[in-house]
């Protein structure tokens, strides 16, 4: 049902009209009865006529009672004229029985017609006025043209009957219209009550807090969960402001329910830091405030939705703790294994035959891989949980690059790759987190070496605008077009990884990307299968919490041209 | 003369490992397994470099670092902090207290540890 319909039917004007109509009907009926009694008792008419009037009066009242008590008849459209006929016949019969005094009756009913129609509406009023004017004209006509008195009487009586029929018709139509409207209203009310019941039930069955506020921030409705969490009385809170009853605190600053009023159209307000400090426990909430506007952009109120995230937060914390502890417990013995292997391999006093040395090297490499993997897992967990801390310091990217190269020199030599660094800079100092940057560089270089069987790796380093750009280009196997969208995904590995002896967890590039973004930079790449790949890391020269390179158009253009030239 | 390194860690296995590795590399090595021992030994042995674990029973590594830096005889000794878990705040604190470097044990390969020790010793 449309809102307009509801508003129209529920208008106060209509309800007042119904009341008015009821009063008028009652007044008309009462005055008719009184007039009948008066006329019958004070007029000198025959006893037989009096008896007839009483009889007809009684029959009419019985008829009315039956008609009123059986609404089926009352509102059957085919029977609408039935009461008209009955009442008209009754009144005419009473009039005839009263003789001369019957004219009083006609005059009385004419007055009633005028009054009633005046109260109902203009159209009826005009119609009745015409009827009355004709009545007056009829009354004056015989005097004016000295007509036969008998004809005059007959015409006046006829006119009276017609007038009564018209007014009764008017009343019946009005009554039917009101009844129909009243029925509709009642049906609507039932629908609304049912809908309200369903909505309330639905709201109450939701395990999140839902509060609806009006334009001034007062409560229209709050659900069971809201009532129980904030210990409020659902009914008593209606029309009240929540801030006087609920005290929520947030790390991002104070929270006030009146913020709900200042929400802009189409813009929800989101807070994930809210806490309710209770005597026993502190609950955490995610809160969304959605403003409601009608089609004319007029603010209609707002809906507050709050999710009790206490358990999720706890679980998230536990998960993170578990990962940290698990990987730590894993890594400490691993560090010992790796350390001793390193010792065994580097101690010149110890002599091995070729086979043993080869196996020791393999074990050592695997231990190194495991250490890297557990480090990546921890980094991933932290960056996903948003708890990755940074230590910003001056870092020479060129020096760092050379350090990493040195660590990988044996791998590079083993494969016989030619690695060159081209740069104009003697040192490229940037303000960033050195350890995280190193992690990115290691991963990128590691990949380049891993996927290049022969040929060269070209690393170039330059400064442009407010950023440092490092590109690592290889002549390796390249990345298939269908895989290019996926390579930054967690645990993604090239489809043929099982047949390739490249190893790796599939975390490397994911870690690179999330670290680069955390440092305010980005990673892009271009690749052709079978020809090679180029990965480009760009970082701001000075890390700042607010600035991000992703929004920097100029930097994107540079990257694009760089990648095109490849 | 070969540089002397003092290892302070409550983990016996790690102490043994570091002793073996550093000795093989030609360093002189001495070991302390708790804070008190470290503080007495450091003035006796006068090492060139101390590898100091942060999480130890009784005295916290950062506290030992602070005391060593305040002791005139050893205030110039290079101190590299060792820790089990990476924690940026602790790292910042350690560097502010005068540590030369900060090594996360479980994240660092033996090759890197050796390199960083060497670097710390050659740096002035």
């Amino acid at each position: 049902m449309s809102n307009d319909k509801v508003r129209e039917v529920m208008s106060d004007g209509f309800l007042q009209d119904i009341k008015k109509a009821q009063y008028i009907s009652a007044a008309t009926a009462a005055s008719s009865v009184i007039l009948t009694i008066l006329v019958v008792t004070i007029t000198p008419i025959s006893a037989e006529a009096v008896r007839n009037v009483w009889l007809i009066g009684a029959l009419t009242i019985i008829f009315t009672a039956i008609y009123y008590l059986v609404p089926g008849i009352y509102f059957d459209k085919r029977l609408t004229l039935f009461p008209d006929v009955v009442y008209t016949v009754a009144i005419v019969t009473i009039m005839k029985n009263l003789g001369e005094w019957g004219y009083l009756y006609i005059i009385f009913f004419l007055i009633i017609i005028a009054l009633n129609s005046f109260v109902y509406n203009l159209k009826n009023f005009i119609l009745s006025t015409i009827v009355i004017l004709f009545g007056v004209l009829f009354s004056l006509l015989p005097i004016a043209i000295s007509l036969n008195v008998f004809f005059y009487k007959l015409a006046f009586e006829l006119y009276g009957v017609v007038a009564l029929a018209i007014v009764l018709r008017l009343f019946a139509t009005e009554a039917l219209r009101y009844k129909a409207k009243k029925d509709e209203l009642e049906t609507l009310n039932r629908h609304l009550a049912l809908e309200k019941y369903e909505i309330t039930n639905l709201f109450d069955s939701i395990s999140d807090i839902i509060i609806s506020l009006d334009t001034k921030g007062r409560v229209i409705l709050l659900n069971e969960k809201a009532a129980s969490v904030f210990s409020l009385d659902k009914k008593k809170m209606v029309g009240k402001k929540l801030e006087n009853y609920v005290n929520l605190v947030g790390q991002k600053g104070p929270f006030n329910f009146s913020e709900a009023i200042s929400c802009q159209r189409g813009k929800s307000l989101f807070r994930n830091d809210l806490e309710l400090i209770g005597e026993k426990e502190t609950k955490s909430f995610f809160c969304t405030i959605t403003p409601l506007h009608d089609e004319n952009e007029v603010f209609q109120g707002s809906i507050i939705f709050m999710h009790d995230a206490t358990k999720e937060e706890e679980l998230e914390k536990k998960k993170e703790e578990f990962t940290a502890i698990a990987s730590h417990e894993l890594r400490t013995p691993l560090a010992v294994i790796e350390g001793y292997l390193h010792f065994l391999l580097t101690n010149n006093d110890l002599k091995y035959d070729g086979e043993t040395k080869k196996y020791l090297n393999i074990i050592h490499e695997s231990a190194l891989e495991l250490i890297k993997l557990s480090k990546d897992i921890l980094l991933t967990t932290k960056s996903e949980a948003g708890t990755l801390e940074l230590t910003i310091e001056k870092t020479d990217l060129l020096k760092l690059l050379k350090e990493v190269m040195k660590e990988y020199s044996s791998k590079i030599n083993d494969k016989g790759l030619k690695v060159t660094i081209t740069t104009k800079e003697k040192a490229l100092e940037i303000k960033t987190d050195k350890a995280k940057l190193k992690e990115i560089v290691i991963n990128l270089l590691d990949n380049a070496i891993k996927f290049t069987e022969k040929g060269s790796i070209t690393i170039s380093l330059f400064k442009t605008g407010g950023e440092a750009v490092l590109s690592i280009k290889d002549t390796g196997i390249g990345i298939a077009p269908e895989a290019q969208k996926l390579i930054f995904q967690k645990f993604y590995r090239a489809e043929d990884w099982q047949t390739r002896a490249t190893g790796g967890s599939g975390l490397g590039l994911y870690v690179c990307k999330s670290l680069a973004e955390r440092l305010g930079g980005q990673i892009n790449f271009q690749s052709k299968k079978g020809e090679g790949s180029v990965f480009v890391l760009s970082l701001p020269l000075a890390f700042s919490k607010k600035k991000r390179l992703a929004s920097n158009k100029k930097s994107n253009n540079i990257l694009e041209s760089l990648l095109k030239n490849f | 003369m070969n540089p002397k390194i003092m290892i302070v860690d409550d983990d016996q296995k790690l102490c043994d490992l570091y002793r073996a590795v550093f000795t093989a590399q030609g360093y002189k090595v001495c070991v302390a397994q708790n804070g008190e021992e470290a503080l007495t030994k450091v003035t006796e042995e006068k090492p060139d470099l101390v590898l100091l674990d942060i999480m130890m029973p009784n005295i916290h590594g950062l506290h030992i670092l602070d005391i060593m830096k305040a002791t005139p005889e050893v205030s110039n000794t290079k101190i590299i902090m060792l820790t089990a878990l990476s924690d940026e705040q602790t790292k910042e604190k350690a560097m502010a207290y005068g540590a030369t470097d900060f090594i996360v044990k479980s994240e660092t390969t033996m090759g890197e540890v050796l390199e960083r020790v060497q670097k710390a010793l050659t740096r002035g």
Side-chain angles (χ1 to χ4, degrees), chain B residues 66-117:
Chain B
D66 207 19
I67 297 172
M68 283 186 182
K69 283 288 160 190
T71 313
E73 298 121 288
V74 290
S75 63
N76 286 328
T77 307
K78 304 240 164 30
I79 301 177
I80 295 181
M81 301 308 290
L82 293 175
T83 176
L85 279 175
S86 60
D87 169 15
E88 299 297 339
Q89 278 171 341
T90 320
K91 183 178 171 182
E92 267 170 42
K93 246 186 221 167
M95 301 312 268
Y97 281 180
T100 310
D101 204 348
F102 188 92
I103 292 177
V104 183
K105 282 187 278 188
S106 48
E107 278 178 9
T108 319
T109 60
M110 193 42 80
E112 280 177 280
V113 174
L114 282 169
E115 208 175 286
R116 281 158 89 159
V117 166

Side-chain angles (χ1 to χ4, degrees), chain A residues 39-62:
Chain A
V39 171
V40 169
T41 44
I42 61 166
T43 51
I45 47 169
S46 68
E48 195 191 351
V50 171
R51 205 183 54 225
N52 285 345
V53 168
W54 284 131
L55 187 67
I56 291 156
L59 284 173
T60 315
I61 288 168
I62 291 167

Side-chain angles (χ1 to χ4, degrees), chain A residues 19-176:
Chain A
K19 254 185 193 164
K20 224 164 21 181
Q22 279 170 342
Y23 284 140
I24 290 161
S25 306
T28 311
S31 55
S32 303
V33 171
I34 290 166
L35 187 74
T36 311
I37 295 169
L38 268 177
V39 171
V40 169
T41 44
I42 61 166
T43 51
I45 47 169
S46 68
E48 195 191 351
V50 171
R51 205 183 54 225
N52 285 345
V53 168
W54 284 131
L55 187 67
I56 291 156
L59 284 173
T60 315
I61 288 168
I62 291 167
F63 170 79
T64 310
I66 295 172
Y67 211 71
Y68 189 79
L69 291 173
V70 189
I73 316 174
Y74 193 41
F75 292 104
D76 187 334
K77 281 198 175 165
R78 285 165 302 181
L79 291 177
T80 42
L81 275 176
F82 186 48
D84 298 17
V85 173
V86 172
Y87 289 127
T88 314
V89 168
I91 289 163
V92 170
T93 321
I94 291 173
M95 258 160 50
K96 291 303 274 178
N97 276 294
L98 290 174
E100 303 276 312
W101 291 90
Y103 295 117
L104 260 179
Y105 239 82
I106 294 184
I107 293 161
F108 166 73
F109 279 113
L110 288 177
I111 294 166
I112 292 287
I113 293 166
L115 279 174
N116 285 359
S117 51
F118 176 72
V119 175
Y120 276 125
N121 62 37
L122 190 67
K123 203 178 103 194
N124 288 0
F125 178 62
I126 292 167
L127 200 61
S128 332
T129 313
I130 293 167
V131 171
I132 292 162
L133 278 176
F134 263 97
V136 174
L137 207 68
F138 258 111
S139 334
L140 296 177
L141 205 62
I143 302 159
I145 53 171
S146 308
L147 271 176
N148 186 317
V149 175
F150 171 73
F151 173 72
Y152 158 68
K153 268 182 163 179
L154 188 70
F156 200 62
E157 278 167 18
L158 264 175
Y159 171 74
V161 172
V162 170
L164 279 173
I166 290 170
V167 79
L168 284 171
R169 209 36 267 141
L170 287 176
F171 283 176
T173 317
E174 285 296 310
L176 276 178

Side-chain angles (χ1 to χ4, degrees), chain A residues 243-267:
Chain A
E243 47 259 48
N244 302 330
Y245 299 86
V246 180
N247 191 13
L248 284 169
V249 291
Q251 292 164 357
K252 291 181 193 161
F255 174 76
N256 205 329
F257 282 98
S258 55
E259 284 175 46
I261 309 171
S262 51
C263 276
Q264 283 181 354
R265 181 180 163 81
K267 275 185 188 165

